[in-house]
Amino acid sequence: MSRKNYVFTSESVSEGHPDKVCDRVSDAILDAFISQEPHARVACETFATTNRVVVGGEVGLADKANLEAMMGNVEQIVRDCVRDIGYEQDEFHWNTLNVQNYLHPQSAHIAQGVDRDGAGDQGIMFGYACRETPELMPAPIQYSHAILRRLAEVRKSGAEPTLRPDAKSQLSLRYEDGVPVEVTSIVLSTQHALESQTSDDIRAIVEPYIREVLPSGWITEKTEWWVNPTGTFVIGGPDGDAGLTGRKIIVDTYGGAAPHGGGAFSGKDPTKVDRSAAYAARYLAKNVVAAGLADRCTLQVSYAIGVAKPLSIYVDTHGTGKVEADQIERAVATCMDLTPRGIRTHLDLNRPIYARTSAYGHFGRAPEADGGFSWEKTDLVEALKKAV
């Protein structure tokens, strides 16, 4: 029997967090290559520190001349990302930072398995959905993202001119009978412009937006507020702390409320099942819950490098299932081709839709008209109902 009364905490980080700057660069480079060729191969890693961004990894295009031209565009892609995020600090400025590009052609030994429609690597991937929010996401991570996304909006609009890009949020929610009912603590640390600004000054800026985002009644007199608890936070971003692609995998997924297979997403083209199969697992878990087959669903798939067929499919409905878990396992295998090619086709993943995923979560987002966040659709509901 799972616990019904407890406190659970999740965190998020903003697009200006050093690791998220790197995720953004890696995904923007991926988008640029896919814009040239939908089946481009990309495994791009980014490192950022004081006034320096280093890019490396594997890329592949069928047109070799085009590949050479794209290599020459990487520096401008990096600068455009940093400018859009909002960094114009003395020690981290989009126009003056040093960009080093160490991308190279994809290994032929890796390519050979993928070219036969196999998985780009071995691994385990998890998807999760629950009824805590309209997006069928765990509430702590969903609202941690929402707070930072709102603060980014008012920063970029000019409504809050002293906010700066680097920020972190953390929510602790009290659950009663399995339902989130109260925020027990709010942690918000945000970079700001002026040395003279105190923690109280920053709270006065951010509190109205936090209250605007959270459901009515969740903040009570007992809620603890920790806003910039260390005090001054002027030096931020990669100048304050180095960043690296793929270090925020729990922020990117379910905030610790569900397992994660360990593989990062950003910078990887959809032949990499670390990314595409995790998206498929979320898609299937969400549709299982949307179909009313369970109130919570964890779904795992596994792969071997160069092998197309998934090695296993596992479903856990945490005691909330309306049908047996093994029926759901058979149903999802019937309703979706879970080979790497099948996933890419079903979710239409060979599109330049990835830079937008690099901050505020890969899941719990609204599907977009151009194919972005296609894994958040609930268009498999009727097929799943019929299959069970």
Side-chain angles (χ1 to χ4, degrees), residues 226-300:
W226 302 99
V227 177
N228 281 23
T230 63
T232 304
F233 183 10
V234 172
I235 300 172
D239 183 33
D241 190 10
L244 196 65
T245 298
R247 284 203 295 201
K248 288 293 177 284
I249 58 176
I250 301 303
V251 169
D252 285 343
T253 54
Y254 306 102
H260 179 60
F265 300 154
S266 289
K268 296 178 181 177
D269 74 70
T271 67
K272 280 74 173 174
V273 284
D274 276 345
R275 183 169 217 159
S276 56
Y279 289 176
R282 161 63 179 172
Y283 171 69
L284 290 170
K286 185 176 184 180
N287 275 270
V288 165
V289 173
L293 303 181
D295 293 332
R296 288 175 63 199
C297 179
T298 299
L299 186 146
Q300 184 205 57

Side-chain angles (χ1 to χ4, degrees), residues 3-11 132-133 137-144 147 170-176 178-187 210 214-215 217-220 223-224 257:
R3 292 180 64 187
K4 296 292 187 180
N5 302 307
Y6 55 92
V7 175
F8 193 82
T9 303
S10 294
E11 69 158 347
E132 293 179 19
T133 63
M137 282 286 288
I141 188 67
Q142 191 70 5
Y143 289 108
S144 292
I147 289 168
Q170 183 172 285
L171 285 181
S172 298
L173 298 187
R174 183 173 67 84
Y175 286 71
E176 195 171 276
V179 177
V181 295
E182 179 188 14
V183 180
T184 61
S185 67
I186 297 168
V187 182
I210 294 173
L214 294 178
W218 277 20
I219 296 177
T220 70
T223 300
E224 294 183 341

Side-chain angles (χ1 to χ4, degrees), residues 58 66 84 111 130 135 195 201 220 224 237 287-288 321 323 331 352 357:
E58 298 189 326
N66 200 14
D84 183 68
C130 61
E135 299 83 5
E195 294 271 359
D201 294 331
T220 70
E224 294 183 341
N287 275 270
V288 165
V323 298
T357 70

Side-chain angles (χ1 to χ4, degrees), residues 42 93 99 101 142 202 213-214 245 361:
V42 179
H93 193 297
V99 179
N101 176 11
Q142 191 70 5
I202 301 302
V213 164
L214 294 178
T245 298

Side-chain angles (χ1 to χ4, degrees), residues 21-38:
V21 172
C22 295
D23 286 346
R24 172 68 175 276
V25 168
S26 293
D27 274 335
I29 290 170
L30 169 61
D31 280 353
F33 275 81
I34 289 180
S35 294
Q36 292 298 308
E37 290 183 12

Side-chain angles (χ1 to χ4, degrees), residues 129-209:
C130 61
R131 294 199 177 277
E132 293 179 19
T133 63
E135 299 83 5
L136 304 185
M137 282 286 288
I141 188 67
Q142 191 70 5
Y143 289 108
S144 292
H145 288 323
I147 289 168
L148 293 184
R149 196 160 51 238
R150 183 68 180 120
L151 293 181
E153 289 170 356
V154 297
R155 171 177 63 84
K156 290 184 170 183
S157 73
E160 299 297 346
T162 63
L163 294 183
R164 291 295 180 263
D166 195 357
K168 303 178 79 171
S169 65
Q170 183 172 285
L171 285 181
S172 298
L173 298 187
R174 183 173 67 84
Y175 286 71
E176 195 171 276
D177 198 26
V179 177
V181 295
E182 179 188 14
V183 180
T184 61
S185 67
I186 297 168
V187 182
L188 191 287
S189 296
T190 182
Q191 185 186 10
H192 53 95
L194 306 174
E195 294 271 359
S196 59
Q197 288 176 298
T198 66
S199 296
D200 288 340
D201 294 331
I202 301 302
R203 177 171 173 175
I205 292 171
V206 303
E207 183 171 344
Y209 300 111

Side-chain angles (χ1 to χ4, degrees), residues 21-84:
V21 172
C22 295
D23 286 346
R24 172 68 175 276
V25 168
S26 293
D27 274 335
I29 290 170
L30 169 61
D31 280 353
F33 275 81
I34 289 180
S35 294
Q36 292 298 308
E37 290 183 12
H39 299 284
R41 302 285 170 76
V42 179
C44 177
E45 309 291 345
T46 303
F47 167 74
T49 186
T50 301
N51 249 345
R52 186 177 301 272
V53 173
V54 181
V55 176
E58 298 189 326
V59 292
L61 294 174
D63 185 335
K64 302 307 178 187
N66 200 14
L67 176 61
E68 194 67 29
M70 287 300 298
M71 291 291 200
N73 295 338
V74 167
E75 179 175 336
Q76 191 58 51
I77 293 170
V78 172
R79 296 190 189 281
D80 289 346
C81 288
V82 175
R83 178 170 55 185
D84 183 68

